[in-house]
Amino acid sequence: MTEQSNIGRILVSEKELAVAAKQAAVQIEKWYQGNPMLLVSILNGAFIFMADVCRQVRIPYEIGFMRVRSYYDSTAPTGALEILMDLSQDIAGYDVVILEDIVDTGQTLRLVTELLASRHALSVRVITLLDKPSRRTVAYQPELALFTIPNVFVIGYGMDCAEHYRGLPYIAEYIGT
Ligand code: IMP
Ligand code: MG
């Protein structure tokens, strides 16, 4: 069930999302150097972005999925990472491109990129669909951010509010009650 009343202004339209997916694919093709390439989608939010991007990529690649949760931990200044579902493949010798829905505090991507680099990937790069730089609490910058947005909570195109709205074909601001 989708509550229409909580869907606010559209920040990124369907047309803009299609252009962005193509832009991400072109960047991935530019990064390709003939090494095995793995596209990693961080579930659940990035599943639609992954599906749209990978269908535009015209070099050989594999896909992988991870589900993680990052949280503040007083013993670790950058927070801690809980792996809810790990990649199923060994990534040593791969160029890895992570496809993410949104970089907010930066905690998740900072920890995930460190983790994957420690597994001897040749490179670990990140393409995020959205970036909220004003919310950053740790130093982290993705290699490519397709849209920079203000500090608002967004829904749609894979992103949720309490598991709702993931199927909206555009990205909208969530209007809380
Ligand atoms: P982080 O704060 O950069 O670690 O981001 C953690 C995760 O929070 C993101 O990958 C998203 O899944 C989620 N998130 C952050 N901001 C939003 C939002 O505005 N809408 C939906 N999910 C969000
Ligand atoms: Mg996410």
Side-chain angles (χ1 to χ4, degrees):
M1 232 293 269
T2 295
E3 280 286 347
Q4 298 294 330
S5 59
N6 294 120
I7 303 173
R9 73 191 159 110
I10 294 179
L11 294 183
V12 188
S13 69
E14 279 190 75
K15 210 177 250 178
E16 289 171 315
L17 287 165
V19 172
K22 178 67 188 170
Q23 201 184 330
V26 168
Q27 180 61 257
I28 290 165
E29 290 169 3
K30 281 190 187 148
W31 283 332
Y32 182 64
Q33 293 191 313
N35 302 312
M37 193 154 212
L38 180 69
L39 308 183
V40 174
S41 169
I42 310 287
L43 297 174
N44 290 334
F47 81 109
I48 293 178
F49 185 42
M50 167 70 125
D52 280 352
V53 172
C54 76
R55 282 180 290 176
Q56 302 277 353
V57 175
R58 296 158 303 177
I59 48 109
Y61 62 85
E62 296 172 33
I63 61 168
F65 297 92
M66 278 184 95
R67 194 158 182 201
V68 299
R69 186 185 298 144
S70 72
Y71 53 93
Y72 178 74
D73 181 334
S74 57
T75 64
T78 53
L81 190 71
E82 186 182 356
I83 300 173
L84 303 170
M85 187 187 108
D86 207 342
L87 293 172
S88 56
Q89 55 269 81
D90 177 4
I91 62 169
Y94 277 75
D95 281 314
V96 174
V97 179
I98 298 171
L99 295 169
E100 176 62 310
D101 50 358
I102 183 163
V103 181
D104 189 35
T105 64
Q107 267 204 47
T108 306
L109 263 296
R110 176 158 166 172
L111 294 167
V112 170
T113 51
E114 280 173 10
L115 174 70
L116 298 191
S118 77
R119 293 177 179 177
H120 309 293
L122 292 175
S123 65
V124 180
R125 297 182 175 106
V126 173
I127 299 177
T128 186
L129 183 60
L130 304 179
D131 192 5
K132 271 192 222 176
S134 63
R135 289 261 307 161
R136 223 52 118 248
T137 58
V138 296
Y140 174 74
Q141 201 49 50
E143 276 68 23
L144 177 62
L146 293 157
F147 300 98
T148 299
I149 62 163
N151 181 17
V152 293
F153 196 82
V154 293
I155 48 173
Y157 197 69
M159 285 170 285
D160 72 310
C161 180
E163 297 304 324
H164 291 275
Y165 308 103
R166 291 193 195 275
L168 290 180
Y170 49 80
I171 294 171
E173 185 174 345
Y174 176 78
I175 315 234
T177 46

